[in-house]
Amino acid sequence: MSHTTVKQKRTALKVARSSKTLNVSSGVFRVNQSMTKTINPSFSGKSFSSGSDSKVLDKSLAQTPKHTVQVFDEHGQDITPHPLYNPDPGVLQPKQGKIFPAHEMSWTTMTDFPSVAFQTTNASFTGPFTRSFFGSASASRTSQTAESVTDETKDFIVKPDLSSSLTDVQTRREKVKEQVREDIMDRVVDCYLTETETIWLLDIPAVSVSVDSEDAEAVKERNNAYTELCKNRQGNDKYVERSMQTFNDAPKTKEVQSDSITMVDKAVMSTTWDMYDSFCNKSDVSENTVVSAEGNKATVPDSSSMSHLLNPSGTDQSMSVFSTTSTVSGSSTHLEKMTVLPVEEEPDLELILQSDKFKQDLAMMERVVLANIFQPKLAAYRQLPVIEGDEESWTEQTKNSLSPFLEHLWAFKCELTMGRNVSSMTWNKKNPDLLAVGYGQHEFKDQKPGLVCCWSLKNPTWPDRIFHCESGVTALDFSSCNANQLAVGMYDGTIAIYNVQTAEQTPITDSSDCANMHTCPVWQLRWVDHDTGLAGEEKGEMLISVSGDGRISKWIHYKGLECVDLMKLKSPNVTINRQQWNPKILSLAPGLCFDFHPNDSKIYLAGTEEGQIHKCSYSYNEQFLETYEAHTGPVYKVAWSPFCPDVFLSCSSDWTIYLWRQDLPKPVLGFSSGQKVVFDIMWSPHCATIFGVVREGKVEIWDLRVSSLDPTIVSLTSTGVNPTVLLFTPETDCVLVGDSEGHVTVYKLKNLPAGGSTQVETLEDVIWSTLSSQHTLGKTDGSA
Amino acid sequence: MLIVLQLYFSFHSNDRQTEEAPVLSDMAEVEDTLKRIQGINGVIGTIVVNAEGIPIKTTLDNSTTVQYAGLLHQLTMKARSTVRDIDPQNDLTFLRIRSKKHEIMVSTDKEYLLIVIQNPAE
């Protein structure tokens, strides 16, 4: 079929394409040739084949040169692809003539050759057969026409190389090739054939035998026998023709359905901490599974992407899984534990809420939340720069006034302390943020159970520690040696020492078992450190108390409190007039306050209810060193100046405050402003000339540099509320005022004249000038 | 929305040294403290979330609670992963997110999350 089509198409075939096909077809031909001859292997490729085929092409072209395909595009232009190779038929014919007579015998078979050649792209079975004939024919002749064939083949080998590159100018090339041929003819060239990676030697043994070979006879016999057999085949009974038909069964489709294959993505992220945890937990795998269940719950980051099963009843084996979708971390030990553990939800809640850590976190969170609110106030307290907030009033207040005033920062108050009278306040010696406040009534009536609250600056809304006491608290002091010990003096004369580290309501020790306990309210307590230990006396800290029964006692904590009397405050009748001293009646004046000298801890002052101030010595417990009399009412407070060693202040309910020098029996200066009872005074720990005064209804700050007649700052409290206690802060310039409503207000001293030094000289100058003015004026009383 | 993340690696050491650390004795104290925190001016809500991200105690409505709990749980896990990746012996203790309108404070632990949402401007 293809024969005919190819024959018709022979003329129409594109010349360019043919070179390819002919290349392929003549592969075998080429090899056969090369087996028996030494042909230049470089030319054994396509060039040779095309050479041999080109002669066929040339023949075809010579026969029908006119029938060519012409291609026109839409515009009618002739875009016929020109052939790459246009041999000159006139020049080539004689050369072709050379070859063709050499292959005369096989010429008849050659009629099929072009067709075969063209169709070799599709079917290659007949090709090799016919070609092998051609090859064998040529092989039979090779020995005779070896030289000429080589020459011609070489001739044609050379030609297509050049023709493939150029399309025009054939004649000149012919001449060149003529000369090359002449040269090559005289040379003997050794050619070696080897296989490469892409070129193989095809070995098909010949099916034809030479007449001269050894087994030609046998072959001839066999050939003859075969021809005889073929002749006998026609009517022979031995050979019967049969045909078979194969059944083509009808096709049948069969379907199979399977479950949908679900694809699950699983990812594991290995992180540094995960590896660390696995390594640490490796040793815990063998432990109790219940314990490890809780450990599972605890390791929050080890989560897998399984769904969470809520099972409140907890009876089934529900898996404790974590419903996070973000990260999946694999931990082999963890996954082991995960499988078999029953999980209960109920105790989870309780366990969490009751754990210690949760309580601590709660407390810290409370402080954090409050810190957000109180941050400007606390920053002002600590003298830090304030972060700008939205509060307008804050900045207004600071801009307006230039005169000294008390800036209200905040107030320690809560519902527990509502309505209670603040009786004493003290700072913790070690932690400057901890403030102990004692609540108790001063008067005899309205006595109710007392309260001690330890406030922290970080939480102004609720105290950190709350201790309920049986009777009203009247005195407080923190120990310096053991900063967690708080001594509390009460209205009924009991002294208790609390440990504020825990929240236990019971004190460490109590003086109620002591035989010598005070019978009247303990008005002041102080831990005094006797560094300069006397010979025979024990060193260390001692608790000293003064009480309304006229005794100043030293308490020792040794399996309970035991006291030793330091001094008995004898009533003035006895001391002034010693001859009238009646030993039977030993009346003691109730002591209200005392203060140890800051430098010499053996000297102390004591103020009594009868208006006298006694200077006593630690070593003398019978006699006073000196007595200062000026007050006409109970002396509520005496205070040594922290800067000037000889100066002290005293305040009393006779509306006056006196400044004394310890060597003068009469006060140097007196301060009074209004007819109000003075409850408390305190020297400022920063400036020698400043002290604070708490009167009924007023808080006053006196600055002796400015004036000794009037207070520099007067701050009125709300009506009905009396400030009762005053406390300066040891590190910042704030002052705390406790009042009868249970509030402890923190004020900041603003716009006070700042002094570089502690102004000790100023104070002394003031005193000296006052004294000298007194002298000049003659002996007058201290201004009252 | 401006978000500022502050990661606290350790508690204030000052308080631990002295006797100031407050200790609550029993469940009533815990309830009291929670009530106090909720009563502070500006606090919008308080949520306690367990280790799995399930809220166990809350003062907000259900949908808001679930939303906060889920989102903050994931963020806390990521923050904890970050901290521990840098040093596996370290752990996250506190997380603070300050935005234009609110501040969200999360106190973290292995067992729970304590979330407080506050409006600091009152």
Side-chain angles (χ1 to χ4, degrees), chain A residues 253-271:
Chain A
T253 59
K254 193 162 175 70
E255 289 167 1
V256 172
Q257 191 173 20
S258 70
D259 292 338
S260 69
I261 301 170
T262 55
M263 309 289 275
V264 173
D265 280 334
K266 195 152 178 70
V268 171
M269 189 160 81
S270 102
T271 53

Side-chain angles (χ1 to χ4, degrees), chain A residues 514-535:
Chain A
C514 181
N516 270 349
M517 63 174 280
H518 289 296
T519 50
C520 286
V522 177
W523 290 116
Q524 190 154 358
L525 279 175
R526 190 65 59 88
W527 290 91
V528 179
D529 203 4
H530 287 285
D531 288 331
T532 61
L534 306 162

Side-chain angles (χ1 to χ4, degrees), chain A residues 554-586:
Chain A
K554 175 179 78 173
W555 296 84
I556 305 158
H557 178 48
Y558 179 72
K559 291 184 190 175
L561 281 175
E562 291 171 8
C563 85
V564 171
D565 278 352
L566 286 181
M567 179 62 65
K568 290 187 176 53
L569 299 168
K570 303 179 181 62
S571 68
N573 296 338
V574 182
T575 51
I576 285 176
N577 200 350
R578 297 202 183 173
Q579 288 92 23
Q580 296 178 6
W581 180 49
N582 192 347
K584 289 183 191 166
I585 302 171
L586 198 69

Side-chain angles (χ1 to χ4, degrees), chain B residues 40-108:
Chain B
I40 293 171
N41 202 1
V43 169
I44 296 167
T46 316
I47 306 170
V48 180
V49 175
N50 72 350
E52 296 147 21
I54 314 290
I56 51 179
K57 207 165 180 60
T58 177
T59 61
L60 300 167
D61 59 281
N62 199 23
S63 57
T64 316
T65 301
V66 167
Q67 188 180 23
Y68 268 105
L71 292 169
L72 285 169
H73 182 63
Q74 288 175 22
L75 182 64
T76 310
M77 275 175 39
K78 188 68 182 172
R80 177 177 282 128
S81 175
T82 308
V83 167
R84 294 202 71 211
D85 259 349
I86 295 166
D87 179 8
Q89 290 177 334
N90 203 352
D91 197 7
L92 182 70
T93 56
F94 205 85
L95 191 62
R96 235 169 152 163
I97 304 164
R98 184 164 222 138
S99 71
K100 271 192 204 158
K101 295 186 189 171
H102 309 310
E103 180 163 3
I104 303 171
M105 288 158 280
V106 182
S107 175
T108 67

Side-chain angles (χ1 to χ4, degrees), chain A residues 469-485:
Chain A
C469 306
E470 287 173 351
S471 62
V473 174
T474 51
L476 282 179
D477 199 27
F478 266 110
S479 163
S480 312
C481 291
N482 309 317
N484 57 322
Q485 287 187 357

